[in-house]
Amino acid sequence: MSNESFPFEIGNFQCVAISDGTFAYPDHSFFVNAPKEHLEQVLREHNIQPGEITIPWTCLLIDTGQHSVLVDTGGGAGLVPSAGKLLRNLQATGIEPVDIDTVILTHGHPDHIGGNTDAEGKPAFPKARYIMWKEEWDFWTSEPNLAQLEVSEDIKQLMLMLARKNLPPIQGQLNLIDRETEILPGIQVIAAPGHTPGHIALAISSGNQQLLYISDAVLHPIHLEQPDWYPVFDLVREQAMTTRRQLLNQVAAEQVLVIACHFPFPGLGYVIKKGERWQWKPIETMD
Ligand SMILES: [Zn+2]
């Protein structure tokens, strides 16, 4: 399996999980309140060396037959050396930026909007309409209050800078939505707030197949097994936990295929309910 792109089908939709790259985070930033020894034990069970964890940044391309849809735009060129590869990986699958007619932004974090614009600050997808939840747009384009985030001041400034750089320039191509709606046939927006105030998930369906793009409603497979451990990045923590539980219960009950932006690439799998917890079952990917 390529670590850069992974094609799969949902009914008649041709989908490709596209890597934007990876980033190494301090492990505790994903599990702030986890007791240190317990966290180290759980990380080792997942074959992760405690300290730093390398996390993929994955976007999704959907060719519905009528529309070429990109979900999230990665970190963009120049944010970090280990990411910003989305455009190159799109081109490697035969897709040029002008081919994309719809860009759906699930939330306003740097690793999801960083590729909105090109080096000149113009929309990187010149023919696309960009779609975002209105409350999310309003939050990041006003003076957002990041006080409750337990990240360093540098990271907060980076978030604000990337929002300033990547949101206003797309305004001329922007469609804001304020309710759960089918944006295109087979692509339904689902409100999934908490990670950010207007974070969304997407229910994608074609034929009798379904996929939930859960985006950052859950950040790591360990959160399924340890649902009380939370990441620093959830802006509205209690709401994020409620959203996470709801979505996990729903996809487990309905056995819906899930794609999660930050799970081991390509981030595709199923959620299995285990009492009050869950477990991640990645799809089989052949080498
Ligand atoms: Zn993210």
Side-chain angles (χ1 to χ4, degrees), residues 25 56-57 72 106-107 109-112 195 215-216 219 261-262:
Y25 298 81
W57 292 0
D72 292 330
T106 60
H107 62 293
H109 275 165
D111 53 319
H112 297 258
H195 181 65
S215 194
D216 284 10
L219 287 180
C261 298
H262 300 300

Side-chain angles (χ1 to χ4, degrees), residues 15 18 20 39 83 92 148 155 180 194 205 212 222 246:
C15 302
I18 307 253
D20 184 55
L39 174 59
Q148 64 269 59
I155 294 188
E180 294 186 327
S205 62
L212 184 79
I222 290 175
Q246 271 172 2

Side-chain angles (χ1 to χ4, degrees), residues 140-166:
W140 290 105
T141 55
S142 56
E143 285 296 308
N145 181 357
L146 304 180
Q148 64 269 59
L149 273 188
E150 296 174 40
V151 299
S152 70
E153 199 51 40
D154 285 359
I155 294 188
K156 290 181 191 178
Q157 288 308 321
L158 186 73
M159 286 178 167
L160 298 176
M161 190 268 282
L162 265 287
R164 267 182 237 120
K165 176 172 178 283
N166 285 287

